[in-house]
Amino acid sequence: MKLTHFKLGLCAALLAAASGAAVAQELRIGLQEDPDVLDPHRARTYVGRIVFTSLCDKLVDVNEKLQFVPQLAQSWSWNDDNTVLTFKLRTDAMFHDGSKFDAAAAKANLERAMTLQDSMRKGELASVAKIDAPDAQTLVLTLKQPDATLLAALSDRAGMMLSPKIFGDDTAAVGRNPVCSGPYKFVQRVQNDRIVLDKFDQYYDAKNYAFKRVTFLPIPDTTVRLSNLRAGGLDILERMNPSDAQQVKSDASLQFATVSGLGYQQFYFNLANGKRAETNPFKDERVRRAFELTLDRNIINEVVGGGIFDPANQPFPPASPYHSDKFPMPARDIAKAKALLKEAGMEQVKAELAFGNNTTTSAIAEMVQAMSAEAGFQLSLRPTEYAALLNEAQSGNFELLMRGWSGRVDPDGNIYQFVTCKGALNDGRYCNPEVDKLLAEARTVPDEAKRKAIYDKAQAILQEDAQAVYIYYQPWPFVLAKKVTGFKPYPDGMIRLKGVAFAQ
């Protein structure tokens, strides 16, 4: 255990306990990382989405069965050719600044998400040609072509609503003081220490939210996070270290709640993003293949994953109807890896592996460093705070990157932005026009079987190009204090606080 992590976690617990004494019914949630910017149009972290779930309502949400359900939109309907989507909105929703949520506000949000220079939502809303607000309760999206992915996008950050009053020339100001319409309003953020939200009493469903305050505490060390929960400094933690599962299950003071997720962990290569790509040995497809052949996903699952990190070789988990059995899991083969490196003229490969600085990914990075060394890879390790890691990835400051994706209900959300030539999350700048063509077509096909066939074609190309290496599918293991009641784990990994309370 790193002393700095211990101090950080201990301070977080003590400060949380102190603030909890002053505020009745405070819920404290331990996060594995500190979120990036608190602006849903510009954000890209999983833990940020957890915070947004309490802060920013969306047009639609998903239930525990991953079905779309109303949130700010009470209902929706398509025209006959699936090119016009009409929402009927709630009439009783307000933003945290007291202004009313209506169709004009929704229109302003979607247009900002589509046009803001550094918006991460542009690709998710690329099919939208026009947005109309004919009256306060009606929002109409006219599309360029049918888009089977759009509702899923609007059930996530693309559909989150901010008060248009805060939109202005200073884009960064929105993330410093976000004003949304969710059950909790923003109070304070101390970078790498805490995010504090207070209950919004004018929320239309306020009666079903028990806590007066919700505090999110980033504690990267899983041991410290669990110790804080046991000591009473936390009430819920996300992404328990799988190796702690047995002791958590046997601890009568704790509750273990886990669910299979929609996301994955992967290795990602810088192929064409900036100067570091120019000298990156992984630009050679044979080197990428050789690296994958050094990995034993089953060992990673057993040693680090505690048996719950199901090995992955594609972006769609087994629970998805779009998961394909056409791509068998590559077995570890050091001799073949060495032969590929020799063929590429690189019997020794020096490269840097960047990854998020937390207990689980650090353990995987060290294991992969040792595994790949047997074939001639000399990986230096660069642990980095996760939000900073994503910023560096975006700017091209990496050769090999390990990152996670929390997963999306629609398969497009697990692949399109990462592999298309201009994808907002394509930090490695992989580009194959045929893949772009296939994934664009898949967005327009509502029939599941036909759509899966298109994804299979795209995956065949991606596998041939060795575009990325998937490691495991991401489960969501939560641990709760005994006093927490009403909590349900959702496959999207979000923490929804409706109906959650402390036992009396």
Side-chain angles (χ1 to χ4, degrees):
M1 183 190 307
K2 294 184 179 179
L3 185 60
T4 53
H5 283 172
F6 177 77
K7 287 179 178 177
L8 172 64
L10 182 60
C11 289
L14 292 173
L15 287 169
S19 62
V23 182
Q25 290 292 85
E26 178 187 22
L27 180 75
R28 293 156 298 185
I29 299 174
L31 303 177
Q32 184 162 281
E33 300 107 13
D34 193 40
D36 60 344
V37 61
L38 293 180
D39 178 345
H41 299 152
R42 299 165 56 222
R44 56 185 292 182
T45 59
Y46 162 64
V47 285
R49 291 174 65 222
I50 291 179
V51 175
F52 287 138
T53 299
S54 291
L55 181 65
C56 302
D57 269 8
K58 304 161 290 190
L59 289 174
V60 295
D61 199 5
V62 295
N63 62 18
E64 57 267 37
K65 296 180 181 178
L66 299 177
Q67 299 164 324
F68 298 118
V69 294
Q71 197 166 65
L72 288 172
Q74 292 181 310
S75 64
W76 53 89
S77 59
W78 292 93
N79 69 341
D80 290 341
D81 65 359
N82 293 315
T83 58
V84 179
L85 175 58
T86 301
F87 289 100
K88 288 296 181 182
L89 307 179
R90 301 189 68 95
T91 58
D92 55 355
M94 295 181 66
F95 291 109
H96 300 148
D97 60 8
S99 59
K100 193 170 179 60
F101 168 75
D102 58 15
K107 181 177 186 289
N109 271 269
L110 294 175
E111 288 177 342
R112 180 178 187 264
M114 292 167 62
T115 59
L116 192 66
Q117 185 176 356
D118 58 347
S119 171
M120 292 291 170
R121 313 282 82 87
K122 288 180 182 177
E124 297 165 16
L125 299 171
S127 64
V128 179
K130 186 175 64 164
I131 305 168
D132 294 303
D135 60 60
Q137 196 183 359
T138 307
L139 179 70
V140 182
L141 277 56
T142 302
L143 311 187
K144 301 169 188 174
Q145 69 275 328
D147 184 355
T149 75
L150 187 57
L151 266 182
L154 296 174
S155 74
D156 208 297
R157 286 175 293 209
M160 291 179 184
M161 296 290 122
L162 294 152
S163 171
K165 287 186 176 181
I166 64 173
F167 299 163
D169 294 336
D170 185 2
T171 301
V174 173
R176 290 194 297 268
N177 187 21
V179 179
C180 288
S181 64
Y184 292 90
K185 60 185 178 181
F186 179 79
V187 175
Q188 177 196 31
R189 178 175 193 175
V190 180
Q191 206 79 32
N192 293 310
D193 180 75
R194 66 187 50 239
I195 294 171
V196 180
L197 310 181
D198 278 357
K199 185 174 179 178
F200 181 48
D201 291 329
Q202 293 168 284
Y203 186 64
Y204 59 83
D205 195 24
K207 66 181 184 301
N208 286 311
Y209 289 83
F211 303 106
K212 296 296 184 185
R213 170 164 288 184
V214 179
T215 300
F216 298 92
L217 299 159
I219 305 174
D221 191 303
T222 56
T223 302
V224 174
R225 207 154 67 242
L226 183 58
S227 296
N228 282 357
L229 182 63
R230 284 194 163 117
L234 295 174
D235 305 302
I236 297 175
L237 66 79
E238 55 92 12
R239 281 177 293 176
M240 170 205 73
N241 190 331
S243 64
D244 292 331
Q246 289 307 314
Q247 61 164 301
V248 167
K249 289 177 183 178
S250 62
D251 189 332
S253 69
L254 302 175
Q255 303 177 66
F256 180 47
T258 188
V259 65
S260 297
L262 302 169
Y264 50 75
Q265 193 82 12
Q266 68 173 177
F267 288 109
Y268 204 67
F269 308 103
N270 187 353
L271 305 183
N273 187 359
K275 289 186 177 181
R276 294 203 70 178
E278 296 172 7
T279 57
N280 187 3
F282 289 107
K283 284 189 72 174
D284 191 312
E285 175 195 313
R286 294 166 295 188
V287 178
R288 301 197 295 272
R289 288 194 181 286
F291 173 71
E292 180 170 23
L293 288 169
T294 68
L295 305 181
D296 190 324
R297 294 168 172 85
N298 290 317
I299 294 295
I300 292 172
N301 179 28
E302 291 169 17
V303 175
V304 182
I308 65 173
F309 282 2
D310 291 338
N313 68 327
Q314 58 184 284
F316 311 132
S320 170
Y322 297 93
H323 182 87
S324 179
D325 58 5
K326 294 181 178 179
F327 311 107
M329 195 80 62
R332 189 172 195 244
D333 191 331
I334 293 297
K336 190 174 180 180
K338 287 182 175 180
L340 280 168
L341 290 184
K342 188 174 183 180
E343 184 182 321
M346 302 182 193
E347 294 186 30
Q348 295 289 323
V349 176
K350 290 186 178 181
E352 180 188 76
L353 168 58
F355 57 94
N357 186 20
N358 64 69
T359 310
T360 302
T361 50
S362 295
I364 294 173
E366 291 170 6
M367 185 174 290
V368 167
Q369 183 186 47
M371 285 180 174
S372 63
E374 294 182 34
F377 287 90
Q378 297 176 10
L379 296 181
S380 60
L381 304 184
R382 177 162 62 100
T384 307
E385 190 273 325
Y386 196 67
L389 178 74
L390 295 182
N391 287 334
E392 295 201 355
Q394 193 173 18
S395 65
N397 185 22
F398 74 101
E399 293 175 327
L400 173 64
L401 182 80
M402 177 166 45
R403 69 178 183 187
W405 180 244
S406 51
R408 298 296 184 269
V409 175
D410 189 274
D412 179 87
N414 274 20
I415 188 170
Y416 185 92
Q417 299 278 25
F418 297 101
V419 304
T420 51
C421 296
K422 295 183 179 180
L425 303 177
N426 185 357
D427 297 324
R429 301 293 192 268
Y430 167 84
C431 184
N432 186 317
E434 184 60 25
V435 171
D436 280 31
K437 180 181 175 183
L438 287 166
L439 294 182
E441 181 186 358
R443 286 181 153 191
T444 69
V445 176
D447 182 85
E448 188 177 287
K450 292 178 181 177
R451 199 174 177 208
K452 182 180 183 300
I454 298 170
Y455 280 123
D456 281 357
K457 288 180 182 178
Q459 280 212 76
I461 298 171
L462 292 168
Q463 297 266 346
E464 183 66 26
D465 290 349
Q467 176 266 333
V469 175
Y470 297 91
I471 316 168
Y472 62 85
Y473 295 113
Q474 179 68 60
W476 302 122
F478 297 95
V479 186
L480 300 83
K482 198 69 175 177
K483 65 181 179 180
V484 177
T485 64
F487 177 84
K488 293 180 185 176
Y490 284 68
D492 65 357
M494 296 300 99
I495 297 176
R496 291 172 172 84
L497 296 180
K498 182 176 180 177
V500 179
F502 289 150
Q504 299 301 314

